[in-house]
């Protein structure tokens, strides 16, 4: 299934792609950073749960803090780490529709999906659901990693665990 998310501004200013390795066919495997501007039409929840070690708890203080912070404006990007997910290698692309740029990608392969940032994603969606300002919604960081960079499920869990240690809740 194609996942489509609107970029925050022009694609030239909102995306960084870094080739970190190649697969056995010699194709680059990328680490993508995209600054998106989610809305109710293109929600973050399109991204499935990957190997995230934490369960989502919408009653925690952290969830409420993230939701409140998102409504404060563009500085949310500075204060929040966004979401990290593995995606199908080679699926990342950009499209322009109606004068707006979007990223598109898939998470169809086994274990692909978010492994960090599910509280942030859910809280942002909750805030947007309360008041969707569409093109005036605050930016949100997405780190999307080609699944070819992970040789197995354990290496994804390692990335997830280390990310969660770095950003303890």
């Amino acid at each position: 299934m194609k996942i489509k998310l609107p970029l925050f501004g022009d694609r030239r200013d909102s995306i960084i792609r870094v080739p970190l390795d190649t697969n056995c066919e010699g194709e680059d495997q990328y680490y993508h950073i995209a600054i998106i501007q989610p809305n109710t039409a293109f929600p973050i929840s399109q991204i499935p749960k990957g190997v995230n070690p934490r369960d989502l708890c919408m009653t925690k203080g952290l969830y409420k803090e993230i939701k409140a912070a998102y409504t404060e404006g563009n500085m949310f990007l500075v204060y929040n780490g966004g979401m990290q997910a593995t995606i199908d290698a080679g699926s990342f692309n950009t499209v322009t529709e109606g004068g707006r740029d979007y990223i598109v990608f898939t998470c169809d392969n086994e274990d692909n999906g978010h492994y960090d940032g599910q509280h942030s994603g859910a809280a942002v969606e909750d805030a947007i659901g309360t008041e969707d300002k569409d093109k005036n919604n605050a930016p949100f960081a997405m780190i999307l990693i080609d699944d070819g960079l992970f040789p197995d499920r354990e290496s994804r869990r390692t990335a997830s665990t280390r990310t969660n240690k770095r950003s303890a809740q």
Side-chain angles (χ1 to χ4, degrees), residues 22-165:
T22 56
N23 64 15
C24 57
E25 286 87 34
E27 300 165 327
D28 286 334
Q29 301 296 290
Y30 287 93
Y31 179 94
H32 313 265
I33 301 171
I35 307 304
I36 64 167
Q37 192 171 36
N39 57 44
T40 53
F42 300 100
I44 299 167
S45 60
Q46 296 175 81
I47 301 169
K49 184 173 182 169
V51 294
N52 198 317
R54 296 181 182 156
D55 290 325
L56 181 61
C57 180
M58 296 170 66
T59 59
K60 285 180 103 172
L62 176 67
Y63 178 88
K64 294 174 185 177
E65 287 177 36
I66 294 168
K67 181 180 175 182
Y70 185 76
T71 63
E72 294 172 6
N74 292 345
M75 288 301 287
F76 180 80
L77 187 63
V78 175
Y79 304 136
N80 183 277
M83 181 177 279
Q84 295 187 54
T86 54
I87 65 173
D88 301 337
S91 71
F92 185 93
N93 207 344
T94 59
V95 297
T96 302
E97 294 176 3
R100 191 162 192 185
D101 289 334
Y102 298 83
I103 56 170
V104 292
F105 56 93
T106 58
C107 291
D108 295 333
N109 293 341
E110 185 177 6
D111 291 330
N112 281 354
H114 64 74
Y115 65 83
D116 182 61
Q118 72 174 343
H119 285 93
S120 293
V124 164
E125 277 199 358
D126 196 5
I128 291 170
T130 303
E131 183 181 1
D132 189 350
K133 300 175 188 173
D134 191 24
K135 291 185 180 180
N136 292 316
N137 286 343
F140 186 78
M142 294 293 310
I143 297 173
L144 305 169
I145 302 159
D146 285 350
D147 60 3
L149 289 167
F150 296 100
D152 53 32
R153 187 172 209 273
E154 187 58 35
S155 62
R156 294 171 199 235
R157 293 282 301 147
T158 298
S160 176
T161 301
R162 288 182 181 171
T163 299
N164 286 323
K165 283 181 182 177

